[in-house]
Amino acid sequence: MIVLVEAYRAGLFKRYDLFKNVLAGVIVGIVALPLAMAFAIASGAKPEQGIYTAIIASLVTSVFGGSRVQISGPTGAFIVILAGITAKYGYDGLQIATLMAGVILIAMGFAKFGTVIRYIPKPVITGFTTGIAVLIWVGEWKDFFGLHPAEMGTHFRDKLIHLLMALPTLHIATTLLAVLGLAILIIAPRFVKRVPAPLIAMVVVTLVQYVGAFPGVATIGSAFGGIPSSLPGFHFPAMTYAQVVELIGPAFTIALLGAIESLLSAVVADGMACTKHNSNQELIGQGAANVLSPIFGGFAATGAIARTATNIRNGATSPLAGIIHALTLVLIVVMLAPFAAYIPLAALAAILFVVAWNMSEIHHFIAIARHAPKNDRALLLITFTLTVFTDLVIAVNVGVMLAALLFMKQMTESVKVQGETDESMVDFCPVGVPKGVQIYSIDGPFFFGAASSFESTLASLHESMTVLIIRMGRVPFIDVTGIYMLRDTIARFQKRGVRVILCEANPIVQRKLAQSGVDKLLGDENWLSDVSMALSSLPVIQKNVIS
């Protein structure tokens, strides 16, 4: 309840702020209604399960999350991965994967991974969000055009071929209703500011279908039998060890996507509301939401950028708005559920068309593809291609791994192991570096990627060398590979009769080296604070200074 306590201490529960937050919560609850149903249907669940997800997720993250104004629920980013899990493992498998993802998110929060996840490279995020947008757009053709393909297939290529083959048989009334809804979604925001465009589109298209009673138009009632006017009870999904093992990959993908999406949304919220979220607490809150959501009939949820922005624009300043958002959806379910049976699926498909367009970030995609460095462009296109043509689980894992490998490659290339010249050492040794003395500096993090460069550089030193001074003043950190490489190098040179002096290491590096026994290997006389002391400790230098 961190954000609740902070909001109370900040005086955000006074009468004026209470009214603003209640109003914002009601508005964003109305906005969430069509989106929750659309996301649920596209994910292979029932429309009411999307509403349950929005209720539980928003309530839990508002109480236990790390952002004052974050609104959570089902989102477009999850559609493709959730639909794949549902198709393969059924809705029970989706609930188990969601619960596991919640546990992973909580573990990430306690392990302080919040700040790390925020730095996943932009090309990876843009690549798979644009890929997801393409998949959502194509996946909604069936309901948008009223198609009945002979089969859909499991891969994007198969779905696209079957949908294209079925296009000549599109249902005219369904297509016109969908186009009407799409037109309202595009035009309404320009003229109507206070009423959400998705709600207007859904209500207008539903009324047209109700009055016209066009035959063959699929509705929530005809497809799902309507929405129950009651809330679900407690039900813990039954799971086996084999299911847990099989669903680890999908659960990790849900957790990773959920973490990225919720933290991006929290950052957007900070910029709009001038707040500062707690990223680790936000992961814990999102994790708790994903643990509880499947227990009460829902599925995976995360921070929703569009609904969070709507919340802020309508005056939200505290978690109370998120709580009111959840209560608004509860009232809608209890009082208005029977009317949902008349909503055409074409209206929800039109809403998802717009969601897919907004998700695609096409301008960012084009900008990165045209102007970014070669490695980033490759990362973008690989992630996008894998997302569309293989599997989102593969795309996320490969994208993150490639990004990590490219980062390590860049870090390795940034590390320099170079010898000092007489000119560079003139301030420390005016008479020049004595014969038989070699001074080398390491610039950059001394980790496993740079260890081989260090070894190959020092391996080429002359046999006539009698003293090796290693400057580590510009080494910010060292890992275990670097430590062992340094130990082996020191031992090898000492065996050849070469004196090795280590100097200028920062306190963190010194502590790690001391813990590994490097200080004992060198001896106190060769473990010095700066290069001046190292040079003055050499007899030949002392003679030159005396003379």
Side-chain angles (χ1 to χ4, degrees):
M1 298 186 181
I2 291 177
V3 288
L4 278 175
V5 173
E6 287 181 350
Y8 175 78
R9 289 174 178 170
L12 297 177
F13 290 148
K14 295 179 181 177
R15 182 176 299 177
Y16 174 69
D17 286 300
L18 282 175
F19 175 77
K20 289 196 302 181
N21 283 281
V22 169
L23 180 62
V26 171
I27 292 173
V28 80
I30 294 170
V31 171
L33 177 66
L35 293 174
M37 291 190 293
F39 293 147
I41 294 169
S43 300
K46 295 179 180 179
E48 65 267 23
Q49 290 166 331
I51 301 175
Y52 301 155
T53 303
I55 292 170
I56 298 299
S58 181
L59 190 61
V60 173
T61 54
S62 294
V63 175
F64 297 105
S67 172
R68 290 182 185 176
V69 288
Q70 176 92 287
I71 298 294
S72 297
T75 66
F78 275 156
I79 287 176
V80 178
I81 181 64
L82 300 189
I85 295 171
T86 306
K88 188 172 182 180
Y89 303 103
Y91 187 69
D92 289 342
L94 174 59
Q95 290 187 307
I96 294 169
T98 298
L99 197 153
M100 291 168 60
V103 174
I104 294 170
L105 282 167
I106 293 172
M108 286 180 174
F110 280 115
K112 312 282 187 195
F113 279 6
T115 52
V116 176
I117 292 172
R118 287 170 54 189
Y119 298 112
I120 291 177
K122 184 70 173 176
V124 174
I125 295 174
T126 303
F128 67 66
T129 51
T130 306
I132 290 169
V134 171
L135 293 172
I136 293 172
W137 178 60
V138 173
E140 289 306 305
W141 287 8
K142 181 176 178 291
D143 291 333
F144 191 94
F145 297 110
L147 303 178
H148 297 283
E151 57 178 313
M152 285 287 285
T154 55
H155 297 292
F156 172 78
R157 181 186 61 191
D158 299 329
K159 290 179 182 178
L160 182 60
I161 292 172
H162 290 129
L163 287 169
L164 288 172
M165 290 174 64
L167 271 179
T169 64
L170 63 83
H171 190 263
I172 299 297
T174 299
T175 304
L176 290 176
L177 287 171
V179 170
L180 172 63
L182 188 60
I184 293 171
L185 287 162
I186 296 171
I187 297 170
R190 303 179 185 178
F191 302 100
V192 183
K193 302 296 183 183
R194 302 298 294 180
V195 183
L199 181 66
I200 297 173
M202 186 180 72
V203 170
V204 171
V205 173
T206 301
L207 287 174
V208 171
Q209 168 58 22
Y210 181 77
V211 173
F214 304 110
V217 174
T219 64
I220 287 179
S222 65
F224 300 99
I227 293 178
S229 56
S230 60
L231 298 176
F234 179 93
H235 173 69
F236 194 88
M239 64 180 74
T240 64
Y241 176 76
Q243 285 177 311
V244 170
V245 172
E246 198 170 9
L247 289 167
I248 284 177
F252 177 78
T253 304
I254 292 173
L256 185 59
L257 282 177
I260 294 169
E261 190 83 0
S262 62
L263 294 179
L264 284 176
S265 180
V267 169
V268 171
D270 286 347
M272 295 180 66
C274 299
T275 56
K276 185 174 178 59
H277 75 280
N278 182 324
S279 57
N280 295 313
Q281 185 63 36
E282 181 63 23
L283 290 183
I284 293 170
Q286 295 293 341
N290 280 279
V291 168
L292 292 174
S293 179
I295 293 175
F296 290 97
F299 52 89
T302 185
I305 295 175
R307 275 160 278 169
T308 298
T310 302
N311 192 38
I312 296 167
R313 290 193 192 103
N314 285 281
T317 58
S318 78
L320 178 63
I323 296 171
I324 297 298
H325 156 269
L327 296 178
T328 301
L329 288 172
V330 170
L331 288 175
I332 291 172
V333 169
V334 173
M335 298 174 63
L336 302 176
F339 298 102
Y342 300 103
I343 299 172
L345 298 185
L348 302 181
I351 291 171
L352 287 180
F353 266 33
V354 175
V355 169
W357 172 257
N358 292 334
M359 272 188 63
S360 69
E361 295 189 311
I362 193 65
H363 55 292
H364 288 311
F365 187 93
I366 293 172
I368 295 173
R370 291 181 61 185
H371 305 300
K374 182 173 64 176
N375 287 341
D376 289 330
R377 281 181 287 173
L379 194 57
L380 172 79
L381 296 175
I382 288 170
T383 308
F384 172 78
T385 303
L386 289 174
T387 300
V388 174
F389 292 103
T390 60
D391 181 81
L392 191 61
V393 176
I394 296 172
V396 171
N397 293 336
V398 171
V400 171
M401 284 191 293
L402 283 177
L405 290 172
L406 286 172
F407 174 74
M408 285 188 288
K409 179 176 179 291
Q410 292 167 351
M411 290 287 285
T412 301
E413 291 173 349
S414 71
V415 179
K416 296 180 181 178
V417 182
Q418 56 189 5
E420 301 283 6
T421 63
D422 287 346
E423 291 77 11
S424 64
M425 296 300 297
V426 66
D427 292 337
F428 303 105
C429 188
V431 296
V433 177
K435 186 177 180 180
V437 177
Q438 293 279 352
I439 304 174
Y440 272 77
S441 64
I442 306 172
D443 295 348
F446 194 13
F447 70 116
F448 62 89
S452 59
S453 174
F454 172 78
E455 183 182 35
S456 60
T457 300
L458 296 190
S460 61
L461 294 180
H462 301 296
E463 291 290 333
S464 58
M465 180 182 62
T466 57
V467 178
L468 171 63
I469 301 174
I470 302 175
R471 303 180 67 188
M472 302 187 71
R474 290 189 285 267
V475 177
F477 70 86
I478 186 169
D479 73 351
V480 67
T481 306
I483 292 171
Y484 277 94
M485 181 62 69
L486 188 60
R487 281 177 59 100
D488 292 345
T489 301
I490 293 170
R492 189 165 59 251
F493 278 107
Q494 287 177 339
K495 190 176 289 186
R496 286 168 45 186
V498 177
R499 179 186 176 187
V500 181
I501 301 174
L502 217 60
C503 62
E504 302 178 354
N506 67 47
I508 296 174
V509 173
Q510 281 188 26
R511 186 172 67 251
K512 289 186 176 182
L513 292 175
Q515 288 172 349
S516 301
V518 174
D519 56 341
K520 294 184 177 63
L521 181 64
L522 285 168
D524 292 340
E525 68 279 7
N526 297 319
W527 179 264
L528 304 173
S529 59
D530 59 63
V531 72
S532 299
M533 292 180 63
L535 288 167
S536 63
S537 71
L538 303 178
V540 64
I541 296 294
Q542 292 173 349
K543 289 178 183 177
N544 286 335
V545 171
I546 292 171
S547 62

